[in-house]
Amino acid sequence: MRKDIVTGDMAPKKELVRIVRDSDGHVSIDETGKKSGRGAYISINVEIAKKAKAEHTFEKVFSTTLDDNFYDELIAYVDHKQARKELFEDGQ
């Protein structure tokens, strides 16, 4: 179980997306969940990703400055993951 940093809700790791700040200070989406660095999790939910952008959540968590491109990439990634999740859950 991991905590969504936007909502504070606990969820299984596979229902979350890991964002990582590496030792060089670069923040990125950790698609494998295994990159080294400090990680933070966000739910696979587009509305929560948009809220993270509006509140600059990852800038606060990682004490760094991020441009809107990072958040736009995150929203697109979460949207894709959410669509795949819904598609494969409905197919079973």
Side-chain angles (χ1 to χ4, degrees):
M1 298 290 282
R2 301 288 188 266
K3 183 186 267 189
D4 178 327
I5 63 163
V6 178
T7 65
D9 295 338
M10 298 294 286
K13 188 175 176 181
K14 66 182 186 176
E15 292 181 13
L16 302 166
V17 175
R18 183 173 187 251
I19 309 300
V20 66
R21 184 189 70 202
D22 62 22
S23 59
D24 296 330
H26 183 258
V27 177
S28 62
I29 298 169
D30 182 2
E31 296 180 22
T32 65
K34 297 179 182 180
K35 285 185 180 178
S36 63
R38 180 164 182 248
Y41 293 85
I42 184 171
S43 294
I44 300 174
N45 183 313
V46 174
E47 295 307 314
I48 292 174
K50 289 179 180 178
K51 185 176 180 183
K53 179 180 180 178
E55 296 176 355
H56 302 279
T57 302
F58 291 102
E59 293 177 50
K60 295 173 188 171
V61 169
F62 294 130
S63 300
T64 189
T65 302
L66 300 170
D67 60 16
D68 283 343
N69 290 337
F70 167 78
Y71 287 104
D72 293 339
E73 181 183 337
L74 175 63
I75 291 167
Y77 181 78
V78 168
D79 184 42
H80 174 74
K81 295 288 278 185
Q82 184 176 1
R84 285 185 56 85
K85 181 180 173 188
E86 291 169 0
L87 176 68
F88 289 113
E89 284 180 356
D90 290 344
Q92 293 180 348

